[in-house]
Amino acid sequence: MAAKLFIVSAPSGAGKTTLVNKLLKRFDDLVFSISHTTRLPREGEVHGKDYFFTDEAQFMEMADAGQMLEWAQVHGNCYGTSAAFIQERLSAGQSVLLDIDVQGGRQIMDCGLDSVSIFIMAPSLTVLEQRLRGRGTDTEEVIRKRLENAKKEIAQKSFYTHVVVNDVLEEAISELIGIVEQETAN
Ligand code: 5GP
């Protein structure tokens, strides 16, 4: 398998986490890029597995020193990808999957590394809203903010190499597997 960077972006509620986890299980040589974030850990999240949880001073120190391949503010917190983390994996011949927002995705597309970008969408904004409400975890204000953000992200989907609509989960997974197989074939 040729080592590649896979950028996966999606508005919240599009089902990205489920799809990403299935892809990572399917390919031994595809590893998850563990980002740095200033967000506090959610219940069950593990430092060094889900994220490197970092305070703002440490995060900005890394960013200012040019150690982030990309970084952005998302929903009020900073998120970034360590350049060293990515280089180590690519040098070891592994492909890396970056689960990052559109701002970060576009920075990676422009950074000169060979990357494949995938945008995952819900079939419609109505379905996206239903999914966000169905979680039952967010306040009305948070849901509205996420929907506004989703609209802005969807408006940039044309920058991505592949757009996958997550209507039927199994079909979306097959499509993603096909993309990874095809992109790493040579
Ligand atoms: P969450 O806080 O729900 O884990 O992630 C919120 C958003 O931040 C998601 O859209 C996720 O893709 C994005 N994100 C996670 N890590 C990074 C990163 O390293 N860089 C950027 N730009 N976005 C990230």
Side-chain angles (χ1 to χ4, degrees):
M1 173 163 166
K4 282 252 168 83
L5 283 186
F6 287 91
I7 303 164
V8 181
S9 302
S12 26
K16 177 179 57 174
T17 309
T18 309
L19 291 168
V20 160
N21 287 338
K22 298 233 176 212
L23 260 190
L24 290 167
K25 262 201 185 144
R26 173 73 169 67
F27 296 96
D28 287 341
D29 278 347
L30 180 65
V31 296
F32 180 64
S33 166
I34 306 167
S35 295
H36 290 253
T37 183
T38 59
R39 159 166 90 59
L40 294 174
R42 295 189 186 119
E43 205 178 316
E45 284 185 330
V46 179
H47 178 79
K49 178 173 171 272
D50 300 291
Y51 280 106
F52 295 109
F53 295 99
T54 316
D55 64 31
E56 210 162 314
Q58 229 180 322
F59 188 98
M60 290 320 297
E61 211 172 285
M62 279 186 78
D64 290 343
Q67 292 169 3
M68 296 292 192
L69 203 53
E70 62 74 32
W71 74 273
Q73 272 207 2
V74 188
H75 308 312
N77 290 297
C78 297
Y79 293 81
T81 305
S82 148
F85 184 99
I86 300 296
Q87 281 305 347
E88 274 167 30
R89 269 66 189 180
L90 287 178
S91 305
Q94 291 174 309
S95 287
V96 189
L97 188 153
L98 294 91
D99 171 346
I100 60 178
D101 86 320
V102 170
Q103 304 171 77
R106 293 194 55 189
Q107 290 175 50
I108 300 281
M109 289 171 206
D110 293 341
C111 82
L113 287 173
D114 194 12
S115 64
V116 177
S117 54
I118 306 169
F119 190 86
I120 297 172
M121 283 194 17
S124 67
L125 273 176
T126 313
V127 171
L128 192 73
E129 185 168 352
Q130 281 165 358
R131 287 183 188 166
L132 283 173
R133 291 191 189 285
R135 288 175 176 179
T137 50
D138 300 315
T139 60
E140 186 60 30
E141 196 200 334
V142 169
I143 291 172
R144 290 209 172 284
K145 252 194 195 160
R146 289 187 182 234
L147 279 172
E148 277 316 304
N149 207 29
K151 283 184 202 161
K152 286 185 199 147
E153 295 211 316
I154 292 167
Q156 298 185 70
K157 69 177 195 300
S158 58
F159 289 100
Y160 284 70
T161 327
H162 304 274
V163 176
V164 173
V165 178
N166 182 17
D167 186 2
V168 178
L169 185 71
E170 288 310 321
E171 286 176 13
I173 291 163
S174 303
E175 201 176 328
L176 285 169
I177 289 173
I179 292 170
V180 174
E181 281 175 343
Q182 176 204 323
E183 297 282 2
T184 53
N186 43 48

